[in-house]
Amino acid sequence: MIKRYSFDDVKRWKRDGAVVLKNLFTLEEIKTVHDDIAVVFQGKKGSTPIIKKHSGPPETVAEQFLNFENIPFDCSSALNLIGVHQQLISLAREALGTKYVRLYQSQAWAKFAGETDFEQSFHCDYGNHTLTVPSNDVTKNSITFLMYFSDVTEMHGPTHYVTRSDSNKISKSSEIFLNHSDNKKLQKLLSKYEKSTAGPAGTVFAYGIDVFHRATNITLNRGYRFAVTSCFKKAGNDSIGYTAWPYHQNKPWNIIFENASPEQLNCFGVPMPGDSFWTDDALKLASLRYPNWNMKEYERKAKK
Ligand SMILES: [Fe+2]
């Protein structure tokens, strides 16, 4: 595989906890995922933006996540597998310093003007990715990819962020965030370093769970933003979690099994070909569960 990201991108993610990447996907991949998201959210359209007057720091509200759903979906394999795209797996491995990564979240996320005011305050995501706090060792945390599949200008609600290197310049920023002692002041200090992830469809924002960021509002008439999230952790890292894939057993997993490589399936926790899990019984039963799954490689390696 030819990498579509650089050594410097990985270095910056490790140092700053945040990097914006523009060339990971082909135009064809971007278009197909865009069209899949339109199918998933049934052709919804944006209307007149809702722009609220915020007297203090804006709050995160449930309406900002109206169209935020787990894979798999009943659409093509493009959206179902974009979260485990080979470029993302490769980048996640380098970022987390391991050969073995697990996908623990992948959701389609559409925002439409007129649904709500999407403006948020700066926050870190670790609250619903771990029960404790982020480690100083970034490889013990995780990497989130927020990927845009529609063009995102400042009027389409791009995520804004502050690099770890910049937020570290603010005394006790992590402590203030947790104890809410002076949130208003923290927001003001962070905003001095605020950067945008705006970019054309295909733009990917890779960030850590300890990185301050916030959603911004869609202010364009009939504007919309199509995105997909994808979060990876090191295999065996029990301190990080979000989605238990088998809990969503009634979703169309066959689309994933019938189209993914063993390496992509392994990101969901499916043992690799050659793993001792694949006994004759396991192979037989799995082929009954997913009749159209091509298990040749699993069978071949089991016979060795
Ligand atoms: Fe967030």
Side-chain angles (χ1 to χ4, degrees):
M1 181 197 85
I2 296 164
K3 289 182 194 172
R4 290 169 164 257
Y5 58 89
S6 67
F7 174 73
D8 198 50
D9 291 327
V10 180
K11 206 169 109 188
R12 272 190 294 146
W13 183 83
K14 285 183 178 169
R15 184 190 63 212
D16 292 336
V19 62
V20 178
L21 306 131
K22 305 251 175 184
N23 299 305
L24 294 186
F25 309 129
T26 65
L27 288 177
E28 180 61 27
E29 286 168 334
I30 295 164
K31 192 190 173 303
T32 322
V33 175
H34 172 280
D35 294 350
D36 273 347
I37 298 175
V39 168
V40 166
F41 297 110
Q42 297 159 353
K44 265 192 180 182
K45 299 261 185 281
S47 58
T48 309
I50 294 173
I51 302 171
K52 290 185 186 158
K53 281 240 180 305
H54 302 282
S55 49
E59 283 184 12
T60 297
V61 292
E63 292 74 38
Q64 295 169 345
F65 301 89
L66 267 183
N67 320 288
F68 186 53
E69 279 183 45
N70 270 306
I71 59 165
F73 299 107
D74 196 6
C75 60
S76 89
S77 60
L79 171 58
N80 287 305
L81 290 179
I82 197 71
V84 284
H85 192 284
Q86 197 54 51
Q87 297 289 334
L88 301 181
I89 295 175
S90 174
L91 213 162
R93 283 175 174 162
E94 289 186 51
L96 300 173
T98 179
K99 268 171 79 178
Y100 306 102
V101 291
R102 294 288 178 268
L103 183 80
Y104 70 94
Q105 184 199 83
S106 188
Q107 297 191 288
W109 192 4
K111 292 179 172 182
F112 300 95
E115 287 183 332
T116 187
D117 182 320
F118 292 96
E119 205 79 13
Q120 293 175 341
S121 298
F122 283 109
H123 63 276
C124 304
D125 281 349
Y126 67 81
N128 57 9
H129 291 241
T130 178
L131 291 176
T132 58
V133 293
S135 170
N136 287 334
D137 176 352
V138 295
T139 70
K140 290 186 173 150
N141 297 325
S142 63
I143 183 166
T144 292
F145 298 106
L146 172 66
M147 309 176 269
Y148 298 143
F149 291 97
S150 56
D151 291 337
V152 177
T153 70
E154 284 309 314
M155 297 181 84
H156 294 84
T159 290
H160 285 189
Y161 67 100
V162 174
T163 66
R164 186 187 298 125
S165 314
D166 281 338
S167 62
N168 282 347
K169 293 174 194 161
I170 302 168
S171 170
K172 298 190 172 154
S173 56
S174 306
E175 288 166 50
I176 302 171
F177 170 63
L178 263 186
N179 64 27
H180 312 285
S181 54
D182 206 349
N183 186 36
K184 227 173 174 175
K185 191 174 160 201
L186 176 65
Q187 296 298 324
K188 211 172 154 191
L189 290 170
L190 286 168
S191 68
K192 283 203 277 187
Y193 302 104
E194 187 163 0
K195 289 184 169 69
S196 177
T197 61
T203 297
V204 175
F205 175 46
Y207 66 107
I209 53 172
D210 60 328
V211 165
F212 285 101
H213 64 283
R214 66 185 197 90
T216 62
N217 198 12
I218 298 180
T219 54
L220 184 73
N221 205 23
R222 294 202 281 264
Y224 71 96
R225 193 193 82 171
F226 282 177
V228 177
T229 63
S230 167
C231 302
F232 288 89
K233 63 175 183 175
K234 241 184 208 182
N237 181 352
D238 292 336
S239 67
I240 300 285
Y242 186 95
T243 312
W245 298 115
Y247 180 78
H248 302 278
Q249 60 168 323
N250 294 327
K251 289 207 146 211
W253 282 99
N254 64 300
I255 299 172
I256 288 186
F257 276 80
E258 289 162 18
N259 293 284
S261 67
E263 203 174 35
Q264 288 176 309
L265 286 173
N266 189 238
C267 292
F268 293 92
V270 177
M272 287 292 282
D275 190 287
S276 59
F277 173 84
W278 292 114
T279 59
D280 286 349
D281 277 352
L283 288 164
K284 202 160 87 191
L285 287 173
S287 70
L288 285 174
R289 184 167 183 180
Y290 302 105
N292 296 317
W293 180 17
N294 180 352
M295 298 191 73
K296 279 203 176 77
E297 203 178 333
Y298 296 84
E299 287 159 358
R300 189 170 53 81
K301 292 218 168 136
K303 278 175 191 138
K304 275 183 186 170

